[in-house]
Amino acid sequence: KTIVFHLRKAAFDFYDTGAKDWVVEPGKYEIRVGSSSRDIRLRGSVQIKQGHMPSEQVRTEHPTGTLAWERVDDDTFSRMFGREVPEVIDINVFHRNSVVGELKRSWVGSILAFFVYSEARKAADGANDDAHRKMIDAMTSEVALRSLVLFSEGVLTYTGLDMFIALINHQYPLLLWLIFHWI
């Protein structure tokens, strides 16, 4: 099956604050196709031969010459954004939109993930061969936690899910508040 996409200039341009106009830089652009940004299934590229180099202002503010996300040192970041580099904080917060596969980052979350994977396999009657199990596991790993409330057919409520999320996030005061308001 062949699908054709027509990408207009707007797919490649950015607003050049120095030129006060939209600019397309010449060069190679990668095109990615997938079911999500985490599941890229096809890559290709296009070469744009005619375009404009960014203004001097943009080249100074963005030393790579483009607005592409690249690693820059702290001094360059400070110049680009006019402020100090923020402190790095390791945030590993789970929420209703987290997916089942992410639960494996927490030992408590791994327990729920194990249960969810087991139930998904049971629900997929006839998925006895390895290929079907892998497919069920792959689909289950991308299910948002909020969807578990719907799939559980009343066994799990949003309050129960919020309590579990508070537990795996080590938000014990919130967990206690949810428990006392649930009782």
Side-chain angles (χ1 to χ4, degrees):
K1 192 177 207 179
T2 301
I3 298 174
V4 177
F5 289 95
H6 295 279
L7 298 174
R8 297 188 170 108
K9 176 184 176 244
F12 305 97
D13 63 9
F14 68 94
Y15 189 75
D16 185 323
T17 54
K20 297 184 179 11
D21 197 8
W22 292 93
V23 174
V24 176
E25 290 184 82
K28 187 176 182 179
Y29 290 81
E30 184 179 32
I31 309 295
R32 300 175 186 181
V33 178
S35 64
S36 73
S37 61
R38 290 192 266 176
D39 183 23
I40 302 301
R41 298 177 184 183
L42 182 64
R43 294 173 191 263
S45 63
V46 295
Q47 183 74 32
I48 296 186
K49 295 179 182 177
Q50 294 182 342
H52 300 283
M53 293 305 293
S55 68
E56 181 63 32
Q57 178 180 340
V58 169
R59 286 195 305 272
T60 302
E61 292 172 357
H62 305 279
T64 62
T66 70
L67 294 178
W69 290 100
E70 295 186 22
R71 277 201 165 291
V72 296
D73 59 49
D74 290 352
D75 292 335
T76 304
F77 179 92
S78 295
R79 283 195 313 274
M80 288 170 63
F81 294 100
R83 61 187 176 98
E84 291 298 312
V85 176
E87 178 185 343
V88 176
I89 301 170
D90 184 24
I91 298 176
N92 224 357
V93 178
F94 296 93
H95 45 79
R96 286 182 178 182
N97 291 326
S98 296
V99 295
V100 171
E102 294 172 348
L103 290 174
K104 295 176 184 175
R105 296 188 326 232
S106 157
W107 71 270
V108 176
S110 294
I111 295 168
L112 176 64
F114 175 80
F115 177 74
V116 171
Y117 284 109
S118 298
E119 290 301 309
R121 290 182 199 131
K122 279 187 219 171
D125 293 332
N128 297 327
D129 62 86
D130 196 42
H132 279 100
R133 274 193 297 278
K134 285 181 182 177
M135 180 186 70
I136 296 298
D137 287 353
M139 291 187 316
T140 303
S141 71
E142 296 302 318
V143 170
L145 297 181
R146 69 182 183 283
S147 298
L148 298 179
V149 173
L150 303 174
F151 294 146
S152 75
E153 298 177 339
V155 174
L156 179 65
T157 64
Y158 283 110
T159 302
L161 177 62
D162 290 340
M163 282 189 252
F164 186 80
I165 291 170
L167 175 65
I168 60 176
N169 283 331
H170 308 285
Q171 297 171 326
Y172 304 118
L174 174 60
L175 176 60
L176 290 173
W177 185 88
L178 287 167
I179 290 170
F180 288 122
H181 283 82
W182 184 53
I183 295 176

